[in-house]
Amino acid sequence: MKIAVSGCLLGQSVRFDSGHKRDDFVMDELSEYAEYISFCPENMAFSNPRPSIRLVKNTDESLKVQSNKTGDDLSDTLSEASKKDLDNIAMHDLRAIIFKSKSPTCGIGSAKVYLENGFAAGKDDGVFVAMCKEKFPLLPMEEEGRLCDAWLRENFVMQLYSYDSFENFKVGANMKDLVEFHRVNKFMLQSKNDVLYRKLGKIVGNHEKKTFTEILSKYEFLFKTAIAKKSSKGKTRNVLEHMAGFVKSFLDSEEKMMLHEQIDDYAAQIIPLIVPLSTLKLYASKYEVAYLLEQTFLSPYPKELALRSNVKCVK
Ligand code: SF4
């Protein structure tokens, strides 16, 4: 699985002060499952060490890149280097991009913008991020700063693995495969957005008798849009209750009560998501409820990442 990553997060000494911002999650956890493609448009443009830069708002609201030391307009030089880095990462079959937060080049909506007089004028996407969003509108993208939040990290990794599963699935797929793909992703999609899940179901239903190529293309767009949505306590709780409905006929009243208590405790952030999910998995396995066992929502990514073991992975 190839992921493009800001070079400084990979521990490369490419920052303006020749330092780096090695990220533990990227380097020590996700690296087990991914191959990283590094980029650093600023280092390509200005090498290091170099004066720091900032984004400045022009009178026509457009943005320019300015040297903090000389005040020179460096927009064209950084833009050219960014295009080269964009071409470099685009040569790879990427599954996601992870950016360094707050940077005028790499920040996703977190790059500070200034007025000519030096006053703050809000925040925006960095120069390279804006280009990446235009080039890869549906690709999972996140900043390392936001990945410190357990809920955002879980959402990103779920999106990443769901995106990867679709990319792998679509190679040589036919209509029957798509029906199956939609079926096993039911609860994962509902945890993201139930309206989009239903729209995807209509696409798979194909009442207008479209060609498979048309169907797949519409499905891909909506699937990738759905997995980019964030889960919530309410949506996840609904999914858990729905899943519990598949095993309830096998359980005695005490077991049912315990399962519902676990779901309540999860929603109250007393226990992590992994607890009710493990109980559901146990019952699905014991009573051979294949429909549940096949759901990607039960195991969307390697369990070693332990993202659902944190009570804070909910909002
Ligand atoms: S934030 Fe981006 S441009 Fe700045 S050093 Fe890191 S990779 Fe390079």
Side-chain angles (χ1 to χ4, degrees), residues 183-289:
R183 188 178 72 81
V184 299
N185 280 294
K186 173 190 163 88
F187 292 122
M188 184 279 293
L189 287 165
Q190 285 188 315
S191 77
K192 294 289 183 184
N193 189 298
D194 193 48
V195 173
L196 293 180
Y197 164 71
R198 286 174 201 285
K199 282 189 181 171
L200 284 161
K202 283 195 181 139
I203 294 173
V204 174
N206 193 17
H207 298 305
E208 292 157 19
K209 305 284 176 225
K210 296 194 163 139
T211 64
F212 179 64
T213 309
E214 284 176 278
I215 296 289
L216 188 64
S217 157
K218 282 181 85 174
Y219 191 92
E220 175 168 7
F221 176 78
L222 214 55
F223 179 83
K224 289 180 177 175
T225 303
I227 61 175
K229 305 286 180 199
K230 302 286 182 263
S231 65
S232 70
K233 192 192 305 182
K235 286 186 275 188
T236 307
R237 186 193 187 124
N238 281 347
V239 164
L240 293 171
E241 298 284 5
H242 200 152
M243 292 175 103
F246 282 84
V247 293
K248 72 175 182 196
S249 60
F250 302 106
L251 308 182
D252 62 31
S253 56
E254 204 177 327
E255 287 168 328
K256 271 188 229 168
M257 209 170 72
M258 189 203 71
L259 180 54
H260 286 294
E261 196 176 307
Q262 286 186 352
I263 295 172
D264 287 345
D265 285 352
Y266 152 72
Q269 283 187 270
I270 296 167
I271 59 173
L273 179 56
I274 192 70
V275 178
L277 276 177
S278 297
T279 306
L280 280 165
K281 206 169 179 177
L282 173 76
Y283 288 143
S285 188
K286 184 173 176 186
Y287 300 111
E288 297 175 358
V289 186

Side-chain angles (χ1 to χ4, degrees), residues 13-32:
S13 302
V14 289
R15 298 193 81 217
F16 69 98
D17 56 1
S18 301
H20 61 75
K21 285 281 177 184
R22 185 187 187 280
D23 184 80
D24 291 348
F25 172 65
V26 170
M27 293 303 286
D28 301 333
E29 297 183 53
L30 201 54
S31 57
E32 288 284 312

